[in-house]
Amino acid sequence: MKQRLLLCLLLCGVMLYYAVPRLSLESGGLEGLFAGCWLMFALLAVAGNLTGILYSPKKHKLKRQVEHKRLRQY
């Protein structure tokens, strides 16, 4: 799970690195609207991946639960 989130976060970073110099927020009309919306959605994707990484359950807690379940079954 964490590897997928890290990969998505890395891809979002690459897309932002490539696209930000080419987007112009100062231009008016649809071009500026598109640039603003694209940046907003890209930053939401980064925030979602960071949230998934930071709030993912730890593996050692899961191992403890499995051990307790095994002990209870015997």
Side-chain angles (χ1 to χ4, degrees):
M1 178 75 172
K2 265 192 172 179
Q3 291 86 10
R4 182 184 61 88
L5 291 172
L6 286 173
L7 179 65
C8 290
L9 187 63
L10 178 67
L11 289 174
C12 286
V14 168
M15 284 193 320
L16 282 169
Y17 180 77
Y18 182 76
V20 167
R22 289 163 175 76
L23 293 174
S24 61
L25 291 172
E26 294 87 21
S27 61
L30 287 176
E31 186 180 352
L33 182 66
F34 174 79
C37 289
W38 194 93
L39 284 174
M40 182 187 67
F41 285 128
L43 292 176
L44 281 174
V46 169
N49 285 311
L50 281 176
T51 302
I53 291 171
L54 293 175
Y55 292 112
S56 65
K58 305 296 182 218
K59 286 189 175 185
H60 61 83
K61 290 182 182 179
L62 294 174
K63 287 182 182 178
R64 288 183 194 165
Q65 291 176 353
V66 171
E67 289 174 5
H68 289 300
K69 288 181 181 179
R70 287 183 186 167
L71 291 175
R72 290 180 190 165
Q73 290 177 355
Y74 294 116

